[in-house]
Amino acid sequence: MITLNKIKKTYNKGKLIAVRDISFEVKDGEIFGLIGPDGAGKTTIFRILTTLLLADEGSAVVHDLDVVKDYRKIRNIVGYMPGRFSLYQDLTVEENLNFFATVFGTTIQENYDLIKDIYQQIEPFKTRRAGKLSGGMKQKLALCCALIHKPEVLFLDEPTTGVDVVSRKEFWEMLKRLKAQGITILVSTPYMDEANLCDRIALIQKGEILSIDTPAQIVRSFPKKLFAMKSANSFELLNDVRAYPETESCFAFGDSLHVTFTDHAETNILDYLHSKGHHDASIEEIEPEIEDCFIHLLKD
Amino acid sequence: MESVIKTEKLTKRFGDFIAANELTFEVGKGEIFGFLGANGAGKTTAMRMLCGLLKPTSGKATIAGFDVYTQTEMIKRNIGYMSQKFSLYDNLTVSENIRFCAGIYGMRTAQIKTKTQELLKELQLENEAKTLVSALPLGWKQKLAFLVSIVHDPDIVFLDEPTGGVDPVTRRQFWDLIYYAAHKGVTVFVTTHYMDEAEYCNRISIMVDGVIAALDSPSNLKKQFGYTNMEDVFYELARKAKRKGD
């Protein structure tokens, strides 16, 4: 289990509050997601839990080990994939992996089972320098290096940022397989759609947790009826729906708008839109997505 | 429709490797054109050719009426460019950044003054004109970088993954600005990994292994491939890619 208790961290002599009084728990064998934009405090939380940064206040425990007192022990049981590619650019794929195995007193062979699925995809390039790899391959190598000592806990800081949809799907498949082997995973992402792939998530913004629960429960607690609206001219529709007095919130979501109303105004809005020339406008009640919930929580 | 980007069999080879293979497409004035593709599909190479930064191996292309082989300087004057590593100076203020960039494009002082006022108003940053860019939140920096990239009223603006890392509300506000620019007649050429943003484009192309595998409006593409969202369309095309990586 990972426990954070009222963790606070500031930078610039207290002027910049990165994380304010954050507390949460990650259970054993869980995929826990920190979901939020840049500047939310995700990386700070990772660096505190991986013992690379001291919190100003509060305490944190990783598998019964205190992040301050037991930092050496923690470093042996966790794997960390930082947001920025941090392997040795001028070592080859194989050399990097060997290096990390050796540092942790193990060998590639000893834990090969754990990384086999992932490593096989980059093995054809094992003599290539890490700096010359593509984004997707760097990501896989970094994951292998973080896993080579068979960690109990895996920390992944924005592993899928800037990666295309196909590689992102593959990456989450790999995480599911690692979870099945009993590894606890704390992962951060700015992509709201990845939230549904986690067991539980914390939505965070500006160093504070907006909500923490299973994705299904977060969606269920969305307090309003949510409607999807469409018309041929979606940009005009956005402006017109926003101008409607009973509209509470209105945001573009792909090819439709997601709208909430103050009252039961959904019954009258089509008449209003017809008068604005949207003769093909449609409205339909829908289930919110995590992104709807995040936007709603941001407003409060 | 008047075309501001026109390519015919535009190709770039690096040795044996064909990064961009016979790209043929047109983008109309004021259009928002989404340029999608998996990592390594050849998007960056194509963009660099269109911006006059990389000489094609073969094929033809004109950008704002200028030839990509012989008139690259004129292309650069008539386009704007913004990437995720936006080119703002952290230690200049908001208005200094606008003035600097406008100056590079050879705009006159009086013109720069009016333009600065207009942009600050559009950004609702009038009170922050004298704030250092380093002190702005990421979302504002992105918006400023975008407006600076169209300060010289270019025909086309190229946006390379402009919305990374911001919250969902800020990301949508950025798209409001894109619509604002397109409405004024600026053609927007944008790459993104967010598939919901693909839906906001008038038309999109999807590159796979150096070729344009699909090109149409989002609704037609969804119809063509029989999916209800662009993510599934993209996934269907991109997972067939043989090339891996950038």
Side-chain angles (χ1 to χ4, degrees):
Chain A
M1 194 153 82
I2 304 170
T3 312
L4 289 85
N5 187 15
K6 296 192 171 165
I7 286 284
K8 183 180 179 187
K9 177 69 193 178
T10 62
Y11 298 109
N12 289 351
K13 295 181 182 139
K15 272 190 275 178
L16 183 87
I17 304 172
V19 171
R20 45 184 104 208
D21 297 331
I22 277 191
S23 304
F24 65 88
E25 280 178 9
V26 180
K27 295 174 196 145
D28 287 345
E30 188 173 48
I31 299 185
F32 189 97
L34 291 174
I35 319 283
D38 287 5
K42 304 189 296 287
T43 299
T44 299
I45 293 172
F46 277 111
R47 295 182 62 81
I48 289 169
L49 292 176
T50 50
T51 76
L52 300 172
L53 193 65
L54 291 171
D56 297 356
E57 291 168 27
S59 60
V61 172
V62 177
H63 276 205
D64 298 327
L65 300 168
D66 182 273
V67 289
V68 181
K69 284 203 315 266
D70 307 315
Y71 73 96
R72 280 173 178 276
K73 283 182 190 154
I74 286 183
R75 288 177 187 183
N76 280 315
I77 62 151
V78 305
Y80 175 40
M81 184 171 155
R84 189 184 299 175
F85 184 68
S86 304
L87 303 182
Y88 293 94
Q89 311 259 4
D90 44 10
L91 294 186
T92 66
V93 167
E94 197 174 26
E95 285 166 346
N96 264 297
L97 195 56
N98 231 327
F99 174 82
F100 283 95
T102 312
V103 165
F104 285 104
T106 181
T107 60
I108 297 179
Q109 290 71 32
E110 199 170 326
N111 295 318
Y112 189 69
D113 273 356
L114 194 59
I115 61 159
K116 192 173 135 202
D117 282 350
I118 311 158
Y119 190 63
Q120 274 174 349
Q121 301 174 46
I122 50 173
E123 213 165 9
F125 311 98
K126 65 181 181 185
T127 57
R128 190 181 289 187
R129 289 182 185 195
K132 298 278 180 203
L133 292 176
S134 72
M137 287 197 284
K138 277 182 181 162
Q139 180 204 41
K140 287 181 184 129
L141 176 60
L143 184 59
C144 287
C145 290
L147 283 170
I148 195 60
H149 58 296
K150 208 172 188 188
E152 295 166 29
V153 184
L154 194 54
F155 292 104
L156 307 170
D157 193 1
E158 295 205 14
T160 56
T161 293
V163 175
D164 67 64
V165 173
V166 179
S167 305
R168 278 168 57 193
K169 280 200 187 193
E170 285 174 5
F171 195 81
W172 279 93
E173 289 301 320
M174 288 185 250
L175 294 195
K176 266 192 229 160
R177 287 196 290 270
L178 292 172
K179 174 191 149 86
Q181 309 213 28
I183 298 178
T184 304
I185 300 172
L186 181 67
V187 57
S188 69
T189 177
Y191 296 104
M192 304 278 151
D193 56 340
E194 294 184 341
N196 291 316
L197 304 167
C198 303
D199 297 312
R200 286 193 309 138
I201 54 173
L203 302 180
I204 63 173
Q205 164 84 347
K206 292 181 183 154
E208 284 176 285
I209 292 182
L210 303 173
S211 181
I212 191 164
D213 216 321
T214 62
Q217 197 53 46
I218 285 182
V219 163
R220 222 167 288 147
S221 58
F222 190 78
K224 305 284 289 191
K225 276 189 172 181
L226 184 71
F227 296 91
M229 303 194 62
K230 277 189 193 182
S231 106
N233 192 335
S234 47
F235 184 54
E236 303 257 299
L237 184 73
L238 179 70
N239 289 329
D240 289 335
V241 174
R242 280 195 180 153
Y244 187 62
E246 315 296 326
T247 298
E248 189 185 59
S249 76
C250 171
F251 292 98
F253 268 76
D255 64 351
S256 54
L257 304 179
H258 286 190
V259 190
T260 61
F261 298 99
T262 49
D263 233 331
H264 295 291
E266 64 269 18
T267 47
N268 302 324
I269 189 155
L270 284 185
D271 292 338
Y272 162 81
L273 289 173
H274 283 178
S275 74
K276 291 275 175 190
H278 296 281
H279 296 293
D280 62 337
S282 66
I283 183 165
E284 169 193 15
E285 188 174 345
I286 52 162
E287 288 285 313
E289 300 166 17
I290 293 292
E291 193 153 354
D292 292 300
C293 301
F294 197 94
I295 289 176
H296 176 77
L297 291 163
L298 279 182
K299 280 188 314 192
D300 295 345
Chain B
M1 190 167 57
E2 187 190 337
S3 293
V4 290
I5 299 177
K6 202 170 180 174
T7 75
E8 206 187 314
K9 298 195 172 176
L10 191 67
T11 300
K12 181 68 193 182
R13 289 171 179 271
F14 297 104
D16 293 338
F17 181 73
I18 309 175
N21 194 358
E22 302 202 342
L23 309 180
T24 304
F25 64 97
E26 289 183 30
V27 182
K29 183 173 161 59
E31 190 173 17
I32 302 174
F33 189 85
F35 197 60
L36 312 185
N39 300 113
K43 293 192 305 280
T44 306
T45 302
M47 281 250 267
R48 287 174 57 81
M49 288 193 284
L50 299 179
C51 292
L53 298 171
L54 186 68
K55 213 171 212 105
T57 311
S58 62
K60 287 188 225 167
T62 55
I63 308 301
F66 299 105
D67 185 87
V68 291
Y69 292 91
T70 57
Q71 296 173 298
T72 52
E73 277 314 303
M74 286 309 290
I75 289 176
K76 287 175 203 162
R77 281 169 192 270
N78 287 283
I79 63 170
Y81 177 83
M82 174 200 164
S83 78
Q84 208 173 14
K85 300 179 190 101
F86 22 79
S87 43
L88 295 174
Y89 291 89
D90 262 353
N91 46 4
L92 293 184
T93 67
V94 169
S95 63
E96 283 167 348
N97 264 288
I98 300 174
R99 200 173 85 210
F100 177 75
C101 197
I104 285 183
Y105 283 107
M107 287 167 64
R108 293 176 188 282
T109 313
Q111 220 182 344
I112 294 176
K113 265 196 183 142
T114 355
K115 199 72 197 185
T116 303
Q117 287 312 316
E118 187 192 316
L119 293 185
L120 290 176
K121 193 161 167 248
E122 189 52 43
L123 265 183
Q124 297 169 340
L125 270 182
E126 285 127 313
N127 298 327
E128 310 288 339
K130 295 201 167 110
T131 305
L132 287 182
V133 159
S134 57
L136 291 181
L138 175 68
W140 284 9
K141 278 190 209 174
Q142 279 183 355
K143 289 180 218 163
L144 178 63
F146 176 62
L147 290 175
V148 164
S149 74
I150 57 168
V151 70
H152 56 300
D153 290 324
D155 292 315
I156 307 158
V157 62
F158 290 89
L159 306 174
D160 195 0
E161 291 179 35
T163 57
V166 296
D167 70 67
V169 174
T170 308
R171 199 153 68 78
R172 284 168 176 79
Q173 287 167 353
F174 191 87
W175 274 87
D176 289 347
L177 282 184
I178 291 183
Y179 275 110
Y180 155 83
H183 196 68
K184 291 204 317 182
V186 182
T187 301
V188 180
F189 190 97
V190 57
T191 72
T192 178
H193 282 309
Y194 291 98
M195 288 303 130
D196 59 330
E197 295 188 342
E199 305 264 11
Y200 307 152
C201 302
N202 302 121
R203 286 191 306 147
I204 55 177
S205 73
I206 300 177
M207 270 185 92
V208 179
D209 287 350
V211 301
I212 292 180
L215 194 165
D216 211 326
S217 67
S219 57
N220 283 345
L221 285 175
K222 282 182 283 181
K223 247 179 254 162
Q224 185 189 334
F225 288 90
Y227 291 112
T228 53
N229 63 63
M230 279 309 304
E231 173 142 350
D232 291 337
V233 174
F234 182 90
Y235 186 72
E236 162 99 25
L237 286 168
R239 76 193 168 90
K240 292 178 190 146
K242 305 230 161 38
R243 260 156 55 177
K244 286 273 174 193
D246 306 313

